[in-house]
Amino acid sequence: DAVGDAEFATYNVGTRTPPLVEENEALLREEVGLDADAGEPFNSEFNREVGKRVGRLTDTEVSFDRPDVQFTIDLADDSVDAKVNSTFVYGRYRKLKRDIPQTEWPCRECNGSGRQGADPCDHCGGSGYLYDDSVEEYTAPVVEDVMDGTEATFHGAGREDVDALMLGTGRPFVIEVEEPRRRRVDTDRLQSDINAFADGAVEVEGLRLATYDMVERVKEHDASKRYRAEVAFDADVDVDALADAL
């Protein structure tokens, strides 16, 4: 009941033990002449035994690294708290139209509120943003909706200039979805959904489910860029003179 209908494949169980239980453990060891660290603490055994039952009931596996769900049992309150950890989707994007920032760009004049006092902000036209669209807005909401999460965050490997296209093999990115209710999604279909929603402004490819460490890998990625520009001259240019000038 604590996790509701959220999908998960891995879990871990932790326990908040009342201080009296810990004190009684220490007194018992002292009374029978055992070392303070002898035997297994109540906390550890309780976590293990409850964890076994959770695994059997949900057909999932325990994980001590970064589980999909972290259950915390409070024995004093007789309650269970479930923290649904984020899930991640990795891919590459190409930006096929200019004047689209990678992420939302709040207006600096109104701090994203869209207002200057009682009036709409003159700088952003009342939208709160300097640009109507972004790569983030074309991708993250679709992933959040499909995975039924509460919020989505876009992590990119560097960024290109707003007025530049992003072509070639594309730029790596990860979208982090908080508290997802769905984890097992068809990434091919998700990719098609994003591309349809972006309608030619942005294109993604290579979408796949990822892990938490992929965020750090993307942020540390060598995001060097190569620009291609078309230059127009108003008169004929001598090739040798141009080479010397460069």
Side-chain angles (χ1 to χ4, degrees), residues 137-160:
E137 290 174 277
Y138 280 126
T139 56
V142 180
V143 179
E144 179 186 336
D145 180 64
V146 169
M147 292 187 151
D148 196 10
T150 58
E151 189 173 347
T153 303
F154 187 98
H155 305 280
R159 63 178 66 226
E160 65 283 341

Side-chain angles (χ1 to χ4, degrees), residues 2-4 6-8 66-70 81-87 177-181 183:
V3 76
E7 293 179 350
F8 65 99
R66 187 180 174 84
D68 294 340
V69 177
Q70 173 67 52
D81 175 67
K83 181 180 185 298
V84 179
N85 285 321
S86 298
T87 191
V177 179
E178 297 182 21
E179 299 183 16
R181 313 307 292 177
R183 292 178 183 270

Side-chain angles (χ1 to χ4, degrees), residues 93 95 102 135 158-162 164-166 171 225:
Y93 76 83
K95 192 174 73 176
Q102 184 188 83
V135 177
R159 63 178 66 226
E160 65 283 341
D161 295 334
V162 173
L165 301 178
M166 179 64 224
R171 184 179 298 280
K225 295 171 280 191

Side-chain angles (χ1 to χ4, degrees), residues 14-55:
T15 306
R16 296 191 186 100
T17 306
L20 184 59
V21 172
E22 296 177 350
E23 292 174 11
N24 287 339
E25 273 193 296
L27 289 173
L28 178 60
R29 288 186 176 87
E30 183 179 341
E31 185 174 327
V32 298
L34 294 174
D35 293 336
D37 59 353
E40 184 177 33
F42 167 83
N43 206 51
S44 298
E45 184 172 1
F46 190 84
N47 289 343
R48 185 179 65 252
E49 294 304 317
V50 173
K52 288 179 181 178
R53 296 191 181 190
V54 171

Side-chain angles (χ1 to χ4, degrees), residues 169-239:
T169 58
R171 184 179 298 280
F173 70 92
V174 173
I175 293 176
E176 175 182 355
V177 179
E178 297 182 21
E179 299 183 16
R181 313 307 292 177
R182 297 183 59 207
R183 292 178 183 270
R184 298 186 292 271
V185 299
D186 184 338
T187 51
D188 289 337
R189 181 173 179 179
L190 177 59
Q191 180 172 302
S192 297
D193 289 345
I194 292 174
N195 289 337
F197 180 69
D199 194 25
V202 170
E203 183 179 60
V204 300
E205 67 174 22
L207 254 61
R208 59 182 172 86
L209 299 179
T211 55
Y212 174 76
D213 62 342
M214 185 59 76
V215 174
E216 185 175 354
R217 290 174 59 186
V218 162
K219 288 185 173 296
E220 293 179 348
H221 180 71
D222 179 12
S224 58
K225 295 171 280 191
R226 177 183 296 175
Y227 285 92
R228 183 177 63 203
E230 293 184 2
V231 180
F233 297 93
D234 58 4
D236 292 339
V237 176
D238 181 78
V239 175

Side-chain angles (χ1 to χ4, degrees), residues 72-124:
T72 302
I73 303 170
D74 192 316
L75 296 179
D77 292 344
D78 192 24
S79 63
V80 178
D81 175 67
K83 181 180 185 298
V84 179
N85 285 321
S86 298
T87 191
F88 305 87
V89 175
Y90 167 85
R92 288 175 172 267
Y93 76 83
R94 284 186 288 272
K95 192 174 73 176
L96 308 178
K97 291 185 178 180
R98 302 182 191 277
D99 296 323
I100 299 176
Q102 184 188 83
T103 55
E104 294 179 344
W105 197 326
C107 174
R108 60 180 178 273
E109 298 297 326
C110 64
N111 294 319
S113 69
R115 310 292 298 180
Q116 289 180 322
D119 301 318
C121 175
D122 292 334
H123 194 65
C124 65

